[in-house]
Amino acid sequence: MNSRIRQQWILKNLATAPLRRMLIVLFVVQIVGVVSLVGYFFYQNGSLAVNKLIVDLQTEIDARIQHNLGNYLELPIKINQLNVDGTIL
């Protein structure tokens, strides 16, 4: 019974509400919804861009470390090989 009274009260108030107020409320709800949706999409797009940038930077740093470490560790092997070649002669 309580829900029926509530429904009647809502219908009564909606029927007597001014059209101007109803239009304002509807437009405000639509604007808030669209702005929220666009904000969410921008946030997701920004998050994806940052994640892609992080992966690219990590890949570049990894390649540089491997290159420099390879050069650093290659030098002693060459020196040892020269020493072996020198002792054989």
Side-chain angles (χ1 to χ4, degrees):
M1 179 113 168
N2 194 10
S3 65
R4 183 180 173 118
I5 294 171
R6 228 181 285 151
Q7 287 176 352
Q8 288 176 351
W9 182 81
I10 290 172
L11 289 174
K12 178 184 167 195
N13 285 336
L14 282 178
T16 60
L19 181 61
R20 183 179 203 173
R21 184 182 307 157
M22 291 177 71
L23 287 175
I24 290 172
V25 168
L26 289 176
F27 284 129
V28 168
V29 167
Q30 285 180 352
I31 290 172
V32 167
V34 168
V35 168
S36 300
L37 194 61
V38 169
Y40 174 74
F41 287 147
F42 273 116
Y43 174 76
Q44 289 295 322
N45 190 24
S47 178
L48 290 176
V50 168
N51 287 339
K52 183 182 181 307
L53 182 62
I54 289 171
V55 168
D56 291 345
L57 288 175
Q58 286 176 341
T59 304
E60 182 179 343
I61 289 171
D62 183 48
R64 286 185 183 186
I65 289 172
Q66 285 182 359
H67 176 72
N68 290 334
L69 193 60
N71 289 341
Y72 181 75
L73 295 176
E74 188 177 286
L75 185 61
I77 294 172
K78 286 182 180 179
I79 291 172
N80 284 339
Q81 187 62 42
L82 288 173
N83 287 337
V84 168
D85 291 344
T87 57
I88 292 176
L89 291 176

